[in-house]
Amino acid sequence: MDSLGWAFFKQGKLSEAEKYLTDAARRSHSSAAIQEHLGDLYSKQQQKEKAVTAFRKAKSLAVDKVTVARIGAKLDALGK
């Protein structure tokens, strides 16, 4: 689900991406990657609060410093 949603995101098909990414997030509550993809989607859709929520969850689930730093930078860019 996540990969298909991310492919739609990369193609600019945001409503299709949202369907698959939200479904992936419902199915997997412990994936930092899925939450980060959701955050990227919401950020692109100008849904700042949803993006912040997804990025915060992704950051809390991340296990390596590189991912934590990358997500932290996305939060900083949103002013959070």
Side-chain angles (χ1 to χ4, degrees):
M1 294 279 122
D2 175 65
S3 296
L4 185 55
W6 193 242
F8 280 123
F9 175 85
K10 290 292 199 175
Q11 293 173 352
K13 297 176 181 178
L14 302 184
S15 61
E16 287 294 313
E18 187 172 9
K19 283 192 274 185
Y20 289 98
L21 292 175
T22 56
D23 190 37
R26 275 194 298 275
R27 293 171 188 252
S28 177
H29 301 282
S30 60
S31 172
I34 292 171
Q35 290 300 318
E36 185 178 5
H37 288 166
L38 261 180
D40 291 332
L41 170 72
Y42 291 140
S43 184
K44 185 92 164 177
Q45 292 175 323
Q46 304 299 314
Q47 295 185 56
K48 183 178 176 179
E49 291 307 314
K50 284 185 173 183
V52 167
T53 299
F55 285 142
R56 284 183 178 159
K57 186 167 184 179
K59 190 174 176 183
S60 75
L61 294 168
V63 294
D64 63 274
K65 291 179 183 181
V66 172
T67 302
V68 170
R70 183 181 62 243
I71 296 167
K74 291 177 182 185
L75 284 165
D76 290 345
L78 291 171
K80 296 288 180 175

